Amino acid sequence: MQHFVAVAEEKHFGNAARRLNMSQPPLSQSIQRLEAELGVTLLERSRRKVELTRAGKIFLEEARRTLRQADLARAMTQRAGQPIPDVRVSFIGPALYHVLPSLIVKFRSAVPDVHVRLFEHPSSRQVEGLQHGEFDVGFVTAATDRTDEFDSFIVERSRIVAAVPANGPFAEHTSVALNELAQQPFITPPQRYSIYSKDMLEMFKAVGVMPQVTQEATQTNTAISLVAAGLGCSLVPATAAVAHVRNVKYLPIIDDTVRTVAELAMIWLPKHVSERGKSFIELVRAQVDESQPPQDLDTLL
């Protein structure tokens, strides 16, 4: 199945063989044996490329599902055999500014014999990891797509603000408009990885301008560091202000025609959550219920 998926995705036996770190003849023989066993043709071969047959398209979908399940079985079995029980928590950078540290402290106090393992990843990578059983829960941008199959709830709301160099053009400003930001070098997350980047650009479109994107940064902390170096401005959750990064100033956005609220959500797949993970979810849910509605951190500015 691994061999077939590689060939189907590469649409080329040579490229698939390099991806699998094997020579091409054994790979071709492997696919031939698979087709003989199934009694159907999965691939239409030509000198230039490989195309899936109708049966091949169906088998590709099922093979991917089977391989994901095998990875999940391996991950969950390995975790069950660990001598020290753990909860695996993935997160985006903004979760560390306020909400996540306090949750970890409370969980360790309530369940001291369970180790909390932290993994920082973009929201899209967390979705994949949760599907494969790598993490118990993830803290992601609430607008993240591909999360329909997950359970979730909002744990924090924060205004979106402008992060600007403190010694730059906005040094004397107490607020800023998006059309002013659009005239400066701008830093965004890569669009192919982040729905937040798309939302950010939509904010500018709503007021009839587009920023001069000169730099991309996957993580919020990286974007803020670039702002501190004077390389541009960015939009970040107001919670970032608690980090007190030198030469970074945070300004409220005065445009009232755009949505300027960032929401942080905790997501999980019930069927993949360990018993310790369930305890963590219960603690977070209780914490959020105590502070309903989820805390809006406008007072940071």
Side-chain angles (χ1 to χ4, degrees):
M1 285 188 181
Q2 290 173 333
H3 292 175
F4 171 75
V5 169
V7 174
E9 291 178 347
E10 297 293 338
K11 295 187 176 181
H12 191 280
F13 274 90
N15 293 343
R18 283 188 287 273
R19 168 173 156 180
L20 294 165
N21 194 28
M22 64 186 297
S23 61
Q24 186 171 333
L27 176 59
S28 298
Q29 294 166 11
S30 176
I31 300 302
Q32 289 170 2
R33 287 195 301 270
L34 177 62
E35 290 178 317
E37 180 180 342
L38 294 174
V40 297
T41 300
L42 300 172
L43 303 169
E44 295 289 353
R45 288 101 163 150
S46 70
R47 287 189 175 184
R48 293 187 176 182
K49 62 180 180 179
V50 174
E51 294 290 345
L52 288 167
T53 64
R54 181 174 178 274
K57 292 177 181 178
I58 294 174
F59 189 72
L60 176 59
E61 181 179 346
E62 297 303 322
R64 283 171 170 162
R65 182 180 291 115
T66 300
L67 291 172
R68 284 196 300 268
Q69 187 61 38
D71 288 339
L72 175 63
R74 182 184 301 110
M76 297 186 73
T77 301
Q78 289 173 339
R79 286 191 63 185
Q82 290 179 345
I84 301 176
D86 64 6
V87 173
R88 299 193 173 194
V89 178
S90 60
F91 64 95
I92 54 173
L96 279 181
Y97 295 136
H98 179 77
V99 67
L100 189 53
S102 63
L103 291 174
I104 293 172
V105 169
K106 291 181 178 180
F107 183 75
R108 291 189 64 180
S109 176
V111 192
D113 60 333
V114 176
H115 182 54
V116 179
R117 299 185 184 276
L118 299 175
F119 305 86
E120 184 174 6
H121 293 294
S123 296
S124 58
R125 170 67 183 88
Q126 292 188 54
V127 169
E128 295 175 359
L130 288 162
Q131 290 172 328
H132 295 162
E134 297 176 33
F135 317 123
D136 286 295
V137 302
F139 288 83
V140 303
T141 302
T144 300
D145 55 5
R146 296 168 54 207
T147 58
D148 292 345
E149 63 186 297
F150 292 85
D151 285 359
S152 67
F153 58 84
I154 303 298
V155 297
E156 184 178 83
R157 291 191 176 96
S158 175
R159 274 192 301 169
I160 297 175
V161 299
V164 303
N167 60 356
F170 303 116
E172 304 302 322
H173 284 48
T174 57
S175 61
V176 67
L178 289 173
N179 62 358
E180 294 177 294
L181 287 173
Q183 300 172 31
Q184 303 297 319
F186 203 76
I187 303 161
T188 69
Q191 291 191 51
R192 62 187 181 278
Y193 294 138
S194 174
I195 195 169
Y196 178 54
S197 174
K198 298 174 185 176
D199 290 345
M200 191 183 296
L201 296 180
E202 288 298 325
M203 290 172 59
F204 284 96
K205 287 182 182 179
V207 296
V209 297
M210 286 299 288
Q212 304 175 38
V213 178
T214 57
Q215 185 74 47
E216 292 185 337
T218 304
Q219 304 291 353
T220 302
N221 287 338
T222 305
I224 292 173
S225 296
L226 295 173
V227 172
L231 295 178
C233 305
S234 191
L235 296 181
V236 300
T239 47
V242 304
H244 300 294
V245 177
R246 185 176 180 180
N247 197 43
V248 176
K249 185 175 183 178
Y250 301 94
L251 299 175
I253 297 169
I254 63 175
D255 301 87
D256 57 6
T257 59
V258 297
R259 181 180 182 274
T260 56
V261 176
E263 293 181 329
L264 181 71
M266 186 175 76
I267 65 174
W268 68 95
L269 278 173
K271 62 183 178 181
H272 293 177
V273 178
S274 66
E275 289 303 316
R276 287 90 179 183
K278 293 176 183 177
S279 298
F280 184 83
I281 292 169
E282 291 172 3
L283 181 142
V284 177
R285 192 187 296 277
Q287 179 70 16
V288 171
D289 287 344
E290 288 178 6
S291 59
Q292 284 292 336
Q295 192 168 8
D296 189 333
L297 299 172
D298 284 353
T299 55
L300 284 170
L301 298 180

